[in-house]
Amino acid sequence: MTRRAESAPSRVARSARLALLAEVLLVGVLVCLAALPVVTALASAGAGARALRSLVADGRTPTARAFAADLVAGLRDPLALALPPLLLVVGALDVLALLGGLPGGAVLGPAIGLALVAVVVVLLRCAARWEPGARWSALLASPPAGVVGDVAVACALVVVVLVVLQAPGFAVVAPGLLVFASVAVAGR
């Protein structure tokens, strides 16, 4: 049996796609590690988005050093430190109220859950536009418009949550995939 030779352009295209995947996964791990303390989650999303934007725009491979510098720049804004724990507390209280038998919980629970998803989508879309020196309050005051982009990021969020529930090992790269989705939506 003879084997057909693979053309050089297709090998280059495949290796470029694999390199992009590897770099997105690297950013995912960096974002996940940086977001572990919870208070750094928003700044780590902004730093990850900046790394992915520079990868796509300039072809620069993301480095841990550049990511760390962007993370520190993002943490200089107190709003970036306050929002993630606040969202975590609201979400935890929502779950506790539902588990405790909150009257009207069948209506309020999903409504609050959808509101939290909407807030996370807005935060991800704002993180996709973040640059060092930008104020999170300014980004949040004028979030990116577009229902299609919001729905796309919300779908990515749902898919990533379902994947992590089915295969918890993906939790390591899940934050990076969400950041990648938000950067892709912002770049379309």
Side-chain angles (χ1 to χ4, degrees), residues 16 25-26 36 38 45 48 61 63 69 71 75 79 81 87 97-98 128 130 146 149 153 161 164 173 176 184 187:
L25 294 177
L26 169 67
L36 280 177
V38 177
T61 299
T63 63
L71 179 65
L75 290 173
L79 191 58
L81 295 170
L87 283 176
L98 289 174
W130 179 82
V153 174
V161 166
V164 169
V173 295

Side-chain angles (χ1 to χ4, degrees), residues 5-173:
E6 188 176 4
S7 68
S10 68
R11 278 188 305 226
V12 170
R14 187 176 322 159
S15 69
R17 286 191 302 262
L18 286 175
L20 176 63
L21 174 65
E23 290 162 345
V24 167
L25 294 177
L26 169 67
V27 169
V29 170
L30 291 172
V31 170
C32 182
L33 291 174
L36 280 177
V38 177
V39 296
T40 59
L42 188 56
S44 67
R50 185 157 188 265
L52 289 174
R53 281 195 321 269
S54 68
L55 168 67
V56 172
D58 306 330
R60 285 185 291 167
T61 299
T63 63
R65 183 178 303 226
F67 179 85
D70 289 341
L71 179 65
V72 168
L75 290 173
R76 289 192 181 113
D77 190 344
L79 191 58
L81 295 170
L83 280 177
L86 178 66
L87 283 176
L88 185 65
V89 166
V90 169
L93 290 175
D94 182 37
V95 169
L96 286 174
L98 289 174
L99 292 176
L102 174 73
V107 174
L108 286 177
I112 294 172
L114 285 174
L116 286 173
V117 167
V119 169
V120 170
V121 166
V122 168
L123 291 175
L124 282 169
R125 295 210 51 206
C126 288
R129 298 181 321 157
W130 179 82
E131 290 288 334
R135 303 290 302 169
W136 285 102
S137 57
L139 289 171
L140 293 170
S142 61
V147 175
V148 174
D150 292 341
V151 170
V153 174
C155 288
L157 179 62
V158 169
V159 167
V160 167
V161 166
L162 290 175
V163 167
V164 169
L165 288 175
Q166 294 298 314
F170 281 101
V172 176
V173 295

